[in-house]
Amino acid sequence: MTARIVLLVTSPRLPAGLLTAAAWDTLRAHPVYTAAESPQAAALRASGVPVTVIDPNPETLLATLGITPSPTGAPTFMGVPITPISAAVPNFTGAPSAPSSTAVTPTPSSAGATSAPASAGATSAPSSAGATSAPSSAGATSAPSSAGATSAPASAGTDPAPTSAGAVPAPTAAGAADPLPPSPNISEISDDDSAVERGALADRREMAKLGEAAGRGGVAGRGEGVGLGEVVERGGVAGRGEGGGLGEVAGRGEVVGLGELAERGEFAGRGEVAGRGDVAEQRVVVWLAGPDGDESFARSLGLRLAREPGLAELELMYGSWDPPGARLLDAVAVMDQLVSPGGDPWKRQQNHQTLAQYLLEEAYEAYDTIEADDTDALREELGDVLLQILLHSRLAEEHPEDERWSIDDVAGGFVDKMIRRNPHVFAGEAVADIEEITANWERIKKAEKSRQSALDGIALSQPALALSAKILSRTRRAGLEVPLPTGDDVGSRLLRLVAESPDAEHLLRQAALAYADTVRARENVRPPE
């Protein structure tokens, strides 16, 4: 893998530029692109990080890595088509070719001359008039390629590599254009020093440049590498005496990787470029996602890379993320837009009195979901209760200045109250049990409210049974012994029943609902969902 795309996602609810250390390191080290201007992009530029706005198109971003579709539709890297090794090397199996004794018909080296078989003690045919070549058996040296011309010396301390039995291509005339056609494909050619790679034989024109010949199976010139699968010595082409495995081209700093020279690298089998055994440095770009996360672009980029996984890696990085409750900020913003000029006319016409019934209804609906043990429905109904809280708070911002308050005042009061009434959590106060925690709560609450009676603060508009239970509960907690009414009227009897069962409201509700089910069964009607 030679390329990586980092998709950087940040929270739009946090201040621009408030990012993790890892995100800052990545942004400073690599080019950064984005689809549009944003507060985050402006903050990065202000900190010295260049940010470039480009079209949010996967191909455009890949082009910044030097990866573009070739005219044939195949991807390219730095302008060079990326070809799988299985396509570039016929019959590739990952192992060197087995030895073979198949004879090769030599290619003419010049007009009217052919190469003679090279066996022990034999001489090759002259490559041009008046020039002869030395025997190609072990210990022989190369003959001049033309009258008065000598071939370039091989690497120090090495002899020219012997050729396959029965085949020695003759060198061409010095300085002459090479008229030779490409060598024929041979299914298998063997000898320890054969230039073969399972069905690919080197073209003579690829085997030496600038007069440098490889020693013992190496063919390379200054800066001249070998295309994948063209020339192999024992399964690889070595430069300056360094050999390699199948499909591997090595040279001291001069190596061909997909047609391009790789710095201090080896072109390893199966298309990997390595520098002296290490993977070449990745090209990395960063995509700075917009406030909405650029979900559509991320999906299309992922699908594009899924079709051709070899193009680049895709990494998701969170530069910042929302703290718990961050969506409450969105809820406040939505309500503000609804009530502000140009928003919802119905909400703008409401006041606390007209909304009171809806607050009660939404609370009852939430209660019903609890009774039904439907937690999904409870989540939805609590959202409706929250709507009432947000709407009342936003309308309160329109009050006269000395009566005005906002959702921040509501939240601030809640936070202060919880911290103040729970000293065992926030102040380290020791408590023995739940009863002591409750007693502390009531003591602190009484001090806050400066109430004269234990019954002060009870919601008198709540249903009668719930109101009765609340009054009886406050009386008991205050330690007061107040006799219950003894009359035979319905109200007195009901109050005594509530005193016997503080949960009378719930029990009566359950009894009423069970009776309703019986009625529906008699009518053969299913209960409501």
Side-chain angles (χ1 to χ4, degrees):
M1 197 73 66
T2 56
R4 181 162 59 99
I5 299 172
V6 178
L7 181 60
L8 182 64
V9 179
T10 62
S11 169
R13 301 172 186 87
L14 296 179
L18 186 60
L19 306 173
T20 64
W24 273 114
D25 290 344
T26 302
L27 288 164
R28 290 189 176 107
H30 307 292
V32 181
Y33 299 92
T34 191
E37 296 294 347
S38 66
Q40 198 70 261
L44 294 182
R45 291 195 187 98
S47 299
V49 176
V51 180
T52 305
V53 177
I54 63 173
D55 180 43
N57 182 292
E59 302 302 336
T60 304
L61 185 61
L62 289 172
T64 67
L65 289 164
I67 300 175
T68 56
S70 69
T72 59
T76 67
F77 180 74
M78 299 298 289
V80 180
I82 300 176
T83 306
I85 192 169
S86 58
V89 182
N91 303 319
F92 176 78
T93 62
S97 301
S100 170
S101 59
T102 305
V104 180
T105 303
T107 304
S109 59
S110 62
T114 58
S115 301
S119 58
T123 61
S124 61
S127 58
S128 61
T132 60
S133 60
S136 61
S137 58
T141 59
S142 300
S145 58
S146 63
T150 59
S151 62
S155 302
T158 61
D159 297 325
T163 60
S164 304
V168 177
T172 59
D178 187 0
L180 302 179
S183 301
N185 289 330
I186 308 299
S187 59
E188 286 188 335
I189 303 177
S190 77
D191 198 85
D192 283 350
D193 299 305
S194 298
V196 295
E197 180 182 1
R198 281 201 177 264
L201 182 62
D203 191 321
R204 289 190 182 86
R205 291 170 297 183
E206 302 290 341
M207 298 190 60
K209 294 289 184 181
L210 298 178
E212 287 196 13
R216 287 197 173 276
V219 179
R222 297 181 181 177
E224 296 290 330
V226 181
L228 177 63
E230 289 185 312
V231 182
V232 180
E233 163 58 27
R234 295 188 180 182
V237 176
R240 298 191 181 182
E242 296 185 10
L246 180 62
E248 190 172 344
V249 182
R252 299 184 180 178
E254 299 173 351
V255 182
V256 174
L258 294 174
E260 294 288 325
L261 292 177
E263 182 179 356
R264 298 184 62 187
E266 294 179 3
F267 186 78
R270 297 192 182 271
E272 296 181 4
V273 179
R276 294 187 179 272
D278 298 327
V279 176
E281 182 180 358
Q282 278 189 323
R283 292 175 58 86
V284 181
V285 296
V286 180
W287 179 266
L288 177 63
D292 62 352
D294 289 358
E295 182 179 350
S296 177
F297 171 73
R299 183 184 297 109
S300 61
L301 179 61
L303 292 173
R304 177 67 176 89
L305 296 180
R307 293 196 300 271
E308 296 183 73
L311 292 181
E313 295 173 338
L314 181 60
E315 174 186 346
L316 177 62
M317 174 181 286
Y318 286 97
S320 60
W321 49 88
D322 293 338
R327 294 311 302 271
L328 287 173
L329 299 177
D330 294 342
V332 172
V334 167
M335 184 56 66
D336 180 67
Q337 185 172 352
L338 288 170
V339 179
S340 295
D344 179 13
W346 184 89
K347 290 180 175 60
R348 287 178 53 79
Q349 291 178 358
Q350 304 306 308
N351 55 48
H352 301 302
Q353 288 71 31
T354 60
L355 291 172
Q357 60 175 327
Y358 301 113
L359 179 59
L360 190 60
E361 287 176 7
E362 298 299 352
Y364 277 132
E365 290 178 8
Y367 184 90
D368 285 344
T369 64
I370 295 173
E371 289 292 299
D373 195 25
D374 188 343
T375 56
D376 286 339
L378 174 60
R379 181 187 67 246
E380 180 181 352
E381 295 302 334
L382 288 177
D384 292 340
V385 173
L386 178 60
L387 183 152
Q388 296 300 313
I389 296 171
L390 293 171
L391 182 52
H392 278 279
S393 298
R394 178 62 183 82
L395 292 173
E397 295 182 27
E398 308 294 332
H399 289 179
E401 186 173 356
D402 57 342
E403 301 176 9
R404 189 176 302 164
W405 48 269
S406 69
I407 188 64
D408 285 331
D409 297 306
V410 175
F414 163 78
V415 170
D416 293 343
K417 180 188 294 185
M418 291 300 102
I419 293 175
R420 189 170 55 248
R421 293 190 185 179
N422 292 277
H424 60 289
V425 175
F426 300 103
E429 182 176 311
V431 292
D433 49 30
I434 299 296
E435 286 72 18
E436 186 173 356
I437 292 174
T438 303
N440 285 341
W441 178 282
E442 293 299 329
R443 173 179 55 80
I444 297 170
K445 181 177 180 179
K446 184 177 180 179
E448 292 172 357
K449 300 295 184 179
S450 299
R451 290 170 175 166
Q452 301 300 316
S453 170
L455 304 185
D456 287 348
I458 292 179
L460 303 179
S461 59
Q462 60 186 304
L465 285 178
L467 174 62
S468 301
K470 192 67 174 180
I471 292 173
L472 292 170
S473 173
R474 288 280 190 91
T475 303
R476 283 193 299 269
R477 284 196 311 209
L480 301 174
E481 296 291 341
V482 180
L484 294 171
T486 58
D488 290 335
D489 59 283
V490 175
S492 296
R493 293 201 307 268
L494 287 174
L495 185 59
R496 291 196 296 270
L497 286 174
V498 173
E500 293 175 8
S501 177
D503 200 16
E505 173 77 24
H506 175 72
L507 295 175
L508 180 58
R509 181 180 296 276
Q510 293 297 106
L513 292 176
Y515 182 73
D517 289 342
T518 302
V519 171
R520 289 192 178 90
R522 181 68 59 88
E523 296 174 330
N524 195 25
V525 176
R526 295 180 59 187
E529 295 295 335

